[in-house]
Amino acid sequence: MLIREINRGGTRGSEYAYVMLNNELVHVSEAGKRIRCDGDLCVYEVLANVNYVYFFSFSRSGYSSVVRCLPGDYPDIMIDNSICEVKDVEEVLNTWLRGIKFRIRDPELNKLLNELNSDFAIMSSEVKSYWGSVGGVFKAVGHAARFNEFLKDPRIYYFTGMSIPNDNGRVRSIKVLMSIMYENWVAMKTAKVLGVRGLIRRSWEANTTSSISMWFEQGSDNSFAILDTTYGPITMWIEFQWDPAIHVFLDAEIIKKNGKLKFIRKPGRKAVRPDIVLVKGAFDNVNALMQANKDIDVLIECKTLPYNEWASDADEQVMQYLSNFRPKNMALITRYGIPINIKNKLTKYGIRVIDNVKPSSMIENELSNFIQNAFSSL
């Protein structure tokens, strides 16, 4: 049986091929041997007696679907529609995909999946519930397709994010999703301690009684929400980007050593998109904020992974945010504990550190004190 696959990396424009063996989805590279490749397209020969062939297909914009085929030859781009069915993943969670799992060998990946189905599923539920309670409808758009699927149902994300055909790629996908989910959850907790009474519509939004859509979009110029609080209107951005053309800075330093110029760390690029930004007042977008010549009142950076996985960010990102954006108040909120010496260092520079923040933890008092101190004096 010949099976072709389009692998462009990630989940945009790819079509990953799996065969089902004993209710386990096994990638064609593991179930067979590669016959030929031409760029992103490879053809595999599978000799095993399989139940079905599954193709997890993604458009360039990230839209996902699943194709289920009876055993046969699929060496061409066009699938034989006479023996294949195409559905949205959500449609077949309880039919085609019920009781089916991907073959996973990496213990770290299994650990991350368990966390997704516990802490992060709770975060998702809390985020949607809270914004609904203040008159909003939370949605993810743009490049956050996998995040939007997780918000709908974590099972959808399992079959899209895990369709990446190697455990390392799957781990990276989950960690990105975790970071996005965590910053949105912390943003919700922040709004909660602000005592939000409702949401204020942006100038272009129709003044109706319908719920206000809250569009989470990475790198968007538009504000995430304008909050009606006891401190007056406060505008919130999640993944704040002050200029769409300037969202990275060069991560390298050059020194002179033994008469020669030398990079003391490899040249690279580091994101400069703070997770959460709060400014007192009502602003439709970043441009309106700049025209008003307003300072950032609160900047919050979030870290969902253990400290050892982002240790260099303490200097290369967190401190950079402090110097680049000059917020009046800044906090670092982490899901795991961080070393006391790092805490002390950041505190010395005026950055409030709140660590070990998870759904089961009680952060409201610490976060409330930080937010109240930030806005009560304005």
Side-chain angles (χ1 to χ4, degrees):
M1 177 170 60
L2 298 178
I3 300 174
R4 72 96 177 92
E5 175 185 77
I6 303 173
N7 185 341
R8 295 192 170 99
T11 55
R12 289 185 179 274
S14 294
E15 189 173 69
Y16 297 121
Y18 285 82
V19 297
M20 190 170 75
L21 298 171
N22 300 320
N23 282 345
E24 189 176 48
L25 290 170
V26 181
H27 187 252
V28 287
S29 63
E30 188 175 349
K33 64 178 181 178
R34 188 170 63 186
I35 301 299
R36 63 181 181 273
C37 281
D38 182 11
D40 299 325
L41 189 150
C42 290
V43 176
Y44 295 85
E45 183 180 26
V46 177
L47 301 177
N49 184 21
V50 306
N51 303 104
Y52 287 101
V53 180
Y54 285 85
F55 295 90
F56 293 89
S57 183
F58 301 91
S59 69
R60 291 287 190 175
S61 61
Y63 174 78
S64 62
S65 60
V66 59
V67 182
R68 186 177 74 164
C69 303
L70 294 169
D73 285 343
Y74 303 97
D76 302 319
I77 292 295
M78 298 301 294
I79 289 173
D80 185 350
N81 292 322
S82 66
I83 56 174
C84 297
E85 300 175 89
V86 183
K87 299 282 186 181
D88 291 340
V89 175
E90 186 175 7
E91 290 182 75
V92 292
L93 289 173
N94 297 317
T95 52
W96 297 356
L97 301 175
R98 186 173 183 176
I100 296 175
K101 298 291 184 182
F102 286 99
R103 178 175 289 179
I104 293 172
R105 301 190 184 280
D106 187 347
E108 182 188 10
L109 179 55
N110 279 316
K111 176 180 178 294
L112 291 172
L113 284 170
N114 287 335
E115 292 180 23
L116 272 186
N117 291 321
S118 53
D119 278 5
F120 289 87
I122 293 171
M123 291 180 199
S124 174
S125 177
E126 289 183 353
V127 164
K128 291 182 292 184
S129 176
Y130 174 76
W131 292 122
S133 73
V134 295
V137 177
F138 183 85
K139 299 178 181 178
V141 295
H143 291 284
R146 306 288 79 80
F147 178 46
N148 196 44
E149 291 168 346
F150 185 79
L151 289 168
K152 285 183 179 180
D153 189 328
R155 294 179 300 166
I156 301 175
Y157 172 77
Y158 176 81
F159 286 105
T160 55
M162 293 302 98
S163 69
I164 298 172
N166 66 80
D167 284 352
N168 288 336
R170 292 165 174 174
V171 166
R172 288 193 297 270
S173 174
I174 289 183
K175 287 180 177 179
V176 170
L177 172 65
M178 284 180 163
S179 294
I180 295 173
M181 185 71 259
Y182 190 65
E183 69 192 12
N184 274 276
W185 180 74
V186 172
M188 176 275 294
K189 287 289 188 181
T190 302
K192 198 171 183 179
V193 301
L194 275 168
V196 172
R197 298 175 292 202
L199 302 175
I200 300 172
R201 296 180 189 276
R202 299 179 188 88
S203 61
W204 68 77
E205 294 173 317
N207 188 17
T208 68
T209 57
S210 63
S211 298
I212 298 176
S213 292
M214 309 173 70
W215 303 98
F216 169 75
E217 183 175 7
Q218 293 173 290
S220 173
D221 175 67
N222 295 328
S223 54
F224 170 71
I226 303 175
L227 313 174
D228 178 15
T229 78
T230 54
Y231 303 98
I234 293 176
T235 303
M236 172 182 282
W237 280 268
I238 301 179
E239 296 215 4
F240 176 85
Q241 185 165 306
W242 70 273
D243 187 316
I246 304 175
H247 63 284
V248 294
F249 62 85
L250 186 63
D251 178 27
E253 292 181 9
I254 303 173
I255 62 172
K256 194 170 185 178
K257 187 175 182 180
N258 298 327
K260 296 181 180 180
L261 294 179
K262 181 181 179 181
F263 285 106
I264 62 171
R265 58 182 186 268
K266 293 180 181 179
R269 289 198 175 274
K270 197 78 171 177
V272 287
R273 205 155 56 191
D275 290 337
I276 302 166
V277 162
L278 298 170
V279 180
K280 191 169 184 181
F283 302 96
D284 291 344
N285 48 44
V286 174
N287 187 51
L289 174 65
M290 295 302 170
Q291 288 181 349
N293 198 27
K294 285 279 291 181
D295 293 327
I296 291 174
D297 293 311
V298 171
L299 187 154
I300 300 174
E301 181 64 13
C302 306
K303 295 296 180 186
T304 188
L305 301 175
Y307 173 74
N308 66 291
E309 296 200 36
W310 58 269
S312 62
D313 286 354
D315 288 323
E316 298 170 7
Q317 185 189 57
V318 177
M319 292 300 297
Q320 286 285 348
Y321 286 162
L322 185 65
S323 61
N324 289 354
F325 294 97
R326 297 181 178 87
K328 294 179 181 178
N329 303 274
M330 183 170 172
L332 173 65
I333 297 180
T334 66
R335 187 164 155 258
Y336 289 89
I338 65 175
I340 189 64
N341 63 309
I342 302 300
K343 267 190 178 183
N344 291 339
K345 176 183 175 179
L346 296 175
T347 301
K348 177 184 174 182
Y349 285 96
I351 299 172
R352 179 71 173 271
V353 179
I354 309 174
D355 59 355
N356 289 306
V357 177
K358 300 180 181 181
S360 57
S361 61
M362 299 296 293
I363 70 160
E364 278 78 2
N365 287 340
E366 279 193 83
L367 186 57
S368 180
N369 289 338
F370 168 71
I371 293 296
Q372 285 176 7
N373 291 335
F375 286 101
S376 60
S377 60
L378 297 178

